[in-house]
Amino acid sequence: MHNKCIVVGGGASGMMAALCAARSGARVILLERNEKLGKKMYITGKGRCNVTNASDMEQYQRNIFRNPRFLYAAFARLDNAGMMALVEDLGVPLKVERGNRVFPVSDKSSDIIAALKRALELESVEVRLNTRVSELLTEDGCCVGVALDDGDKLYADAVILATGGVSYPTTGSTGDGHSMAKSVGHAVTVLLPALVAIDTVESWPGTLAGLTLKNVQLSAWLTGGRKEKRIYSQMGELLFTHTGISGPLALTLSSLLPEDLSTIRMAIDLKPALDEQTLDARLLRDFKEMSRKQLGSVVDGLAPRSLAEQLMRLAGLPASMPVNSVTAQQRAALLKVIKGLELHPKALGGFNEAIITRGGINVKEINPSTMQSKLIKNLYFCGELMDVDAATGGYNLQIAFSTGALAGSSAATAMEQ
């Protein structure tokens, strides 16, 4: 009989680790604390499951915020093309959408989970649901199994921790893996919510809650030093919320902000395709053509009405003022808010709404070629549990699948030696 491998956690990385360990010849037991596998996957991509991103690896490296080089071997083991082929071989056709995001044609995350479950069954992986691990069992610097919270102990030749981060704790991500890793000597970096909405000091975004802006540019600067340093600038989609901003641009920025938010200034460029000179020329032309109308009529043509009203308020201009009475100074004030609508972050949304966790097990203590712990033999890590995270768009799920594949195959190979 082949040696036994225990995988703790039945999310994206855990299912992939179990599958690849089994395909590499190991006898695998997959332990999941929830009543079903892939609970967090059900809600990814707004329930559609953004499986991966079809961009090239160069683009991947640009979109991984922390420790991208650590992932070289994982991507070599299973890259996005390999993941897409694997899913389609399991009977789920895929499609590529805007931003190279990859989804099942059916738009159902349940199809991806069902396909992975079928693959696990085909490889005779033993899945135990409603089973929570409380402790790693170690002897002489080697992991020999796990203890369950009911007091039972399971022994194995390799243990793979795939318990996820601490975001969306209702899906079972409550930091169990971090506690277990710490108990055997691993360091865990500060855990922060990432890919999450940003609450602002300013209250006016609340008056625009629900309004989505497309093709705008969001930028952010670190203001603490002698000179401001730009830390982010990207074009895309933004959403106003009751407490601040969300949408793809804000979510990505949230992963790059320092812990001390008081040092950050943000600005939205509502017309990034036009430089100030060109936009000013357009304003002058519009003012000339509509000289007998009120200012509100002109600004309504530059932004959605609710936002246009806010822009005039911030520029200190009444919407009812005649266009022909607007001075050069007042026009400059309007231009300034259109090209640089300023905001300041007050807080990030909590782990309950964060898509992923920033921080995790220190990757310096993990062998990037195998995902094996450098401190405890036969203990492997994969997925969001580690200090690796990326932008929205399928990158984080690919990291989970790639590190899971490498951990699973590495564990199985090591057991044969």
Side-chain angles (χ1 to χ4, degrees):
M1 189 173 277
H2 293 298
N3 293 338
K4 187 163 68 177
C5 172
I6 290 175
V7 179
V8 184
S13 65
M15 283 193 282
M16 187 57 71
L19 178 61
C20 290
R23 284 183 172 181
S24 299
R27 185 161 56 95
V28 181
I29 298 177
L30 175 57
L31 307 176
E32 169 54 49
R33 63 180 284 185
N34 288 312
E35 73 288 353
K36 60 186 176 184
L37 295 176
K39 198 164 181 180
K40 189 175 178 185
M41 286 178 69
Y42 277 102
I43 57 175
T44 60
K46 295 178 181 172
R48 298 169 60 214
C49 194
N50 187 180
V51 185
T52 185
N53 191 288
S55 297
D56 58 31
M57 282 298 119
E58 202 175 300
Q59 181 74 4
Y60 261 75
Q61 294 303 315
R62 282 197 294 271
N63 280 281
I64 295 168
F65 300 137
R66 267 156 287 279
N67 303 308
R69 278 186 266 181
F70 173 77
L71 297 167
Y72 284 163
F75 287 145
R77 172 62 184 81
L78 180 70
D79 62 8
N80 50 359
M83 185 61 205
M84 290 168 72
L86 186 152
V87 170
E88 294 201 310
D89 285 347
L90 293 175
V92 182
L94 299 172
K95 60 182 176 179
V96 180
E97 296 187 358
R98 183 176 55 84
N100 283 326
R101 289 167 162 82
V102 179
F103 294 91
V105 169
S106 65
D107 284 331
K108 291 180 181 174
S109 56
S110 55
D111 286 353
I112 302 291
I113 299 161
L116 289 170
K117 280 167 67 178
R118 283 196 304 272
L120 293 172
E121 286 165 16
L122 283 171
E123 298 297 335
S124 302
V125 171
E126 181 186 343
V127 177
R128 297 192 192 179
L129 301 174
N130 299 304
T131 305
R132 187 169 182 174
V133 173
S134 60
E135 186 186 351
L136 294 173
L137 302 177
T138 59
E139 290 177 8
D140 302 322
C142 190
C143 190
V144 296
V146 298
L148 308 182
D149 64 355
D150 63 4
D152 199 7
K153 290 181 179 179
L154 299 176
Y155 292 90
D157 296 289
V159 173
I160 301 172
L161 275 190
T163 53
V166 290
S167 57
Y168 283 118
T170 51
T171 63
S173 301
T174 54
D176 288 7
H178 296 122
S179 300
M180 284 186 265
K182 279 199 235 182
S183 74
V184 295
H186 274 282
V188 175
T189 65
V190 175
L191 303 178
L192 298 169
L195 299 184
V196 71
I198 301 171
D199 293 346
T200 58
V201 172
E202 294 80 2
S203 59
W204 62 258
T207 66
L208 305 173
L211 175 66
T212 297
L213 301 177
K214 295 186 177 180
N215 302 316
V216 297
Q217 185 165 316
L218 178 64
S219 301
W221 294 265
L222 192 62
T223 61
R226 252 181 279 170
K227 190 179 176 187
E228 281 193 341
K229 179 187 175 186
R230 191 168 71 176
I231 59 168
Y232 178 75
S233 190
Q234 200 167 310
M235 276 182 64
E237 198 172 294
L238 192 73
L239 167 72
F240 288 109
T241 70
H242 290 289
T243 55
I245 54 174
S246 188
L249 290 177
L251 295 182
T252 299
L253 173 57
S254 73
S255 291
L256 300 170
L257 293 174
E259 282 186 74
D260 181 6
L261 298 178
S262 67
T263 61
I264 296 295
R265 177 176 73 86
M266 305 182 295
I268 305 165
D269 184 346
L270 298 170
K271 298 290 178 185
L274 305 175
D275 60 28
E276 284 197 21
Q277 197 174 351
T278 307
L279 182 57
D280 193 34
R282 177 182 163 175
L283 280 177
L284 278 169
R285 187 181 70 243
D286 289 350
F287 282 9
K288 190 175 181 182
E289 288 174 2
M290 305 169 77
S291 62
R292 296 191 177 185
K293 295 199 173 182
Q294 294 182 333
L295 180 61
S297 302
V298 178
V299 185
D300 274 355
L302 294 168
R305 173 160 289 184
S306 57
L307 177 57
E309 290 170 359
Q310 191 59 56
L311 292 174
M312 286 180 284
R313 257 191 235 90
L314 291 169
L317 304 174
S320 59
M321 76 182 297
V323 168
N324 57 20
S325 69
V326 177
T327 65
Q329 193 176 1
Q330 288 171 323
R331 193 178 74 248
L334 181 60
L335 185 69
K336 187 180 177 183
V337 293
I338 294 171
K339 289 294 288 178
L341 190 51
E342 200 159 293
L343 287 166
H344 298 84
K346 179 171 71 174
L348 297 182
F351 283 115
N352 287 342
E353 55 186 272
I355 294 173
I356 56 159
T357 303
R358 173 175 163 183
I361 296 170
N362 191 332
V363 296
K364 290 178 182 175
E365 298 172 355
I366 303 169
N367 184 337
S369 301
T370 61
M371 296 293 131
Q372 184 174 200
S373 163
K374 290 180 180 178
L375 310 182
I376 304 291
K377 199 179 173 192
N378 298 342
L379 175 63
Y380 296 79
F381 302 110
C382 57
E384 197 182 334
L385 182 64
M386 304 181 293
D387 184 17
V388 283
D389 63 284
T392 56
Y395 298 105
N396 288 291
L397 261 184
Q398 182 63 52
I399 289 171
F401 291 130
S402 295
T403 55
L406 182 57
S409 54
S410 298
T413 302
M415 287 190 293
E416 289 176 0
Q417 293 170 354

